[in-house]
Amino acid sequence: MRAWQKRWREIEVFKEWTGVLSVLLSSEGLLYLLAELCYNNILWMLPLQILLVPIFCIVKKKKTDRLARQYIQGFREVLQSLMTSLQAGYSMENACRRLLPELKELYPSEKNPTLFQIKRIVRGMDLHRAPEQLFLEYAEETGVDEIYEFAVVLNIARSTGGNMVEILKNAMERLQGRMDAEEEWKATLSGRVFEKNIMLMMPFGVLFYLRVANPGYVDSIYETVVGNILMTVVILTVLCSYFWTERIMDIRF
């Protein structure tokens, strides 16, 4: 492994562990609030540790979706630049090399995932590797369907001598249409998402209000076994409702 690759991996591992620690501390804070609000006893944090599993699943999915959106948005810029260079008469290799300084201007941060992938492609071509193979590796590492589709089409076009400009134009139009449809759908759902979050927080909001306004109303919840069971059912119901609504709203284009 080259020095720059090793260094990049070390940075990524450090960032990953830092992120895990941050999520863990935030999760423990949330469990403390649940134990205090729902049971009035911080010892309930011990059995509530089982909630760390769904919490980490939620955080991981959010992170994966966010990274996928970054890759798709960056890849759209990649396609536009490549198509412009090919129309100007550049080869695929030179088009990729011209793409790198453009991305550096567009994404000043060296941490941008698309910039890192294009740097790796350029370094691979400097080692006389085929760009179609490098784009396939790019697609496999990112796991984004749009990039994989483009890489497969590019491989076929390079093998059969297809019209590269037309291929890139069609790929960019499909990607743009898919992203526009996704953004329109998200805008439509934004109000529903806000309503969903309010409804999920409502039981805890009502309990907090009763506890502050008139603690005597909720003493039976904290002092009886039935009350503890009831609050456990409420927490599990809210958690199941969250995953259910997320699954309903998870629409792929």
Side-chain angles (χ1 to χ4, degrees):
M1 182 179 293
R2 290 180 173 272
W4 66 270
Q5 291 177 321
K6 184 177 180 180
R7 179 58 179 169
W8 177 267
R9 295 301 180 188
E10 291 175 351
I11 294 175
E12 288 297 309
V13 170
F14 176 77
K15 289 170 55 180
E16 182 176 352
W17 279 105
T18 303
V20 169
L21 181 60
S22 175
V23 172
L24 181 60
L25 293 176
S26 301
S27 301
E28 291 295 340
L30 176 61
L31 295 184
Y32 171 78
L33 292 177
L34 285 177
E36 186 66 29
L37 177 63
C38 299
Y39 303 99
N40 197 29
N41 188 345
I42 61 173
L43 293 179
W44 272 91
M45 285 185 65
L46 297 177
L48 287 177
Q49 295 298 313
I50 194 173
L51 295 180
L52 289 177
V53 176
I55 289 175
F56 272 88
C57 290
I58 293 171
V59 172
K60 183 178 179 181
K61 185 178 184 302
K62 295 295 184 181
K63 180 180 178 181
T64 301
D65 292 343
R66 183 172 62 253
L67 185 60
R69 288 195 298 270
Q70 288 180 348
Y71 274 127
I72 292 175
Q73 293 171 356
F75 187 61
R76 179 171 59 178
E77 303 296 335
V78 169
L79 286 180
Q80 290 174 339
S81 178
L82 289 178
M83 186 171 65
T84 301
S85 297
L86 291 173
Q87 286 176 334
Y90 289 91
S91 65
M92 188 63 186
E93 290 81 357
N94 290 331
C96 290
R97 290 186 173 91
R98 292 186 74 249
L99 167 63
L100 188 55
E102 294 179 8
L103 287 180
K104 287 181 178 180
E105 293 181 2
L106 188 61
Y107 304 112
S109 175
E110 293 291 331
K111 299 179 181 179
N112 183 269
T114 299
L115 179 59
F116 169 74
Q117 293 292 340
I118 298 303
K119 282 183 177 180
R120 193 168 68 171
I121 288 176
V122 172
R123 289 190 181 99
M125 290 189 301
D126 291 339
L127 298 174
H128 307 290
R129 297 188 62 194
E132 56 269 27
Q133 183 61 40
L134 294 169
F135 271 100
L136 281 173
E137 293 176 1
Y138 174 19
E140 291 173 358
E141 182 165 337
T142 59
V144 178
D145 293 338
E146 289 83 355
I147 301 177
Y148 183 76
E149 292 172 6
F150 169 78
V152 171
V153 173
L154 176 63
N155 189 26
I156 295 173
R158 295 269 296 185
S159 301
T160 60
N163 188 333
M164 293 298 303
V165 176
E166 191 65 27
I167 291 172
L168 284 172
K169 181 180 178 181
N170 293 336
M172 188 176 67
E173 289 176 351
R174 289 196 302 271
L175 179 61
Q176 184 66 53
R178 196 176 302 180
M179 291 183 66
D180 290 344
E182 185 176 355
E183 290 298 325
E184 183 178 353
W185 179 251
K186 285 181 179 179
T188 304
L189 283 182
S190 60
R192 300 300 181 186
V193 171
F194 180 75
E195 293 174 3
K196 176 204 75 172
N197 294 333
I198 292 296
M199 293 301 295
L200 291 176
M201 295 300 297
M202 188 65 70
F204 306 108
V206 171
L207 180 60
F208 177 76
Y209 172 76
L210 291 175
R211 181 170 177 174
V212 172
N214 196 333
Y217 284 153
V218 293
D219 285 344
S220 59
I221 294 178
Y222 299 136
E223 297 173 357
T224 63
V225 176
V226 175
N228 291 338
I229 294 176
L230 176 62
M231 293 312 304
T232 302
V233 172
V234 170
I235 293 174
L236 293 177
T237 301
V238 170
L239 186 62
C240 292
S241 299
Y242 173 83
F243 282 107
W244 183 37
T245 52
E246 283 292 306
R247 185 175 181 84
I248 291 174
M249 295 181 178
D250 187 19
I251 298 177
R252 304 291 180 177
F253 290 88

